[in-house]
Amino acid sequence: VGVRTPKYTLAGCGPGSLRFLTVEVLELAAEAKVLAGASRLLELFPASPARRLPFEGPIDAWLERLASLEEDSVVVLVSGDPGCFSLASRITARFGIGACRVIPGISSVQVACAALGLTWENAAVVSAHSGLPRTWPDETRDPWVVLMGASGAEATVAAVAEHHERHCTVCDDLTLDTERIVRVLPQTLASLSPHPRRIVVLTRKSNHES
Ligand SMILES: C[S@@+](CC[C@H](N)C(=O)[O-])C[C@H]1O[C@@H](n2cnc3c(N)ncnc32)[C@H](O)[C@@H]1O
């Protein structure tokens, strides 16, 4: 009995720079019949002859367009890693994991930790991306890596940093030419305008610093 190749390949494209794409994803994109995903990810593969399905409009309508494609294979590009607060989980929920193959990518969480010289084996990843978190991790977890994006995220994360006495480091546009990584006071974080690609890393203060 032959094993059917899953129709959907969910390809992690890293944090945005071509330099952080894997060779695997470059080859998949070059050979793809259809490339689907956010426009900025599609633009990473200008030479691919694939038909393009940009992610736009309401997600449910877009998933139906994916479902109705006649091609038997589609490469869906997702940012970072498909396993971390990703559009990929909407696709596996809609089509079933059996219809999907998952290709890992470098997560923005990994890049943020590496940039700050932090290990992430004890990290807690928190999403303030499509809504504000209702709960926060256990105090023993460190760092807390917060994916930003929701309205009010800066003020909320600033208040949490103040309350839990954690340092805040803002990481915008990781790996891109516009990358900006800066340690800020909570009140400065609270005053920042939202940014589409922002992680805030909250680290525990050691006992002898304030
Ligand atoms: C829907 S989540 C996807 C996360 C992705 N799966 C990952 O592993 O990086 C989108 C959030 O990831 C973070 N993000 C993605 N790319 C980033 C980058 N280049 N710099 C900073 N944050 C980034 C931002 O917090 C953004 O709001």
Side-chain angles (χ1 to χ4, degrees):
V1 182
V3 178
R4 284 190 62 191
T5 310
K7 176 170 176 180
Y8 301 97
T9 299
L10 311 179
C13 293
S17 158
L18 207 52
R19 300 174 68 87
F20 285 73
L21 275 176
T22 60
V23 173
E24 177 77 357
V25 171
L26 284 167
E27 288 183 1
L28 281 168
E31 291 158 14
K33 294 180 189 161
V34 183
L35 275 183
S39 301
R40 75 181 176 90
L41 298 178
L42 293 172
E43 285 164 12
L44 290 171
F45 309 98
S48 167
R51 185 174 151 201
R52 281 149 199 269
L53 186 68
F55 175 29
E56 54 201 7
I59 174 123
D60 289 323
W62 188 72
L63 290 174
E64 290 324 302
R65 288 178 64 202
L66 268 187
S68 62
L69 288 171
E70 279 162 16
E71 287 86 348
D72 59 2
S73 73
V74 181
V75 175
V76 183
L77 307 172
V78 299
S79 76
D81 183 79
C84 181
F85 294 109
S86 175
L87 170 68
S89 40
R90 294 296 303 265
I91 293 167
T92 52
R94 170 66 181 78
F95 301 110
I97 190 67
C100 302
R101 178 161 68 121
V102 180
I103 309 296
I106 299 174
S107 175
S108 54
V109 173
Q110 288 170 272
V111 178
C113 288
L116 303 183
L118 298 170
T119 60
W120 51 278
E121 63 241 9
N122 192 33
V125 183
V126 179
S127 176
H129 176 70
S130 30
L132 295 174
R134 285 197 216 108
T135 57
W136 288 84
D138 193 273
E139 204 59 72
T140 59
R141 306 287 291 279
D142 197 52
W144 295 354
V145 183
V146 189
L147 305 182
M148 305 292 278
S151 167
E154 280 72 13
T156 300
V157 175
V160 165
E162 185 97 61
H163 179 74
H164 291 269
E165 298 187 359
R166 284 181 174 243
H167 288 303
C168 319
T169 307
V170 176
C171 307
D172 287 352
D173 288 349
L174 289 163
T175 74
L176 305 176
D177 292 344
T178 45
E179 178 179 275
R180 184 167 172 271
I181 300 173
V182 54
R183 167 85 73 88
V184 296
L185 293 171
Q187 56 266 40
T188 306
L189 171 60
S191 70
L192 294 180
S193 316
H195 183 80
R197 285 169 301 281
R198 170 173 292 156
I199 279 182
V200 176
V201 181
L202 300 181
T203 42
R204 240 180 353 220
K205 291 179 183 170
S206 64
N207 291 335
H208 36 264
E209 57 178 333
S210 55

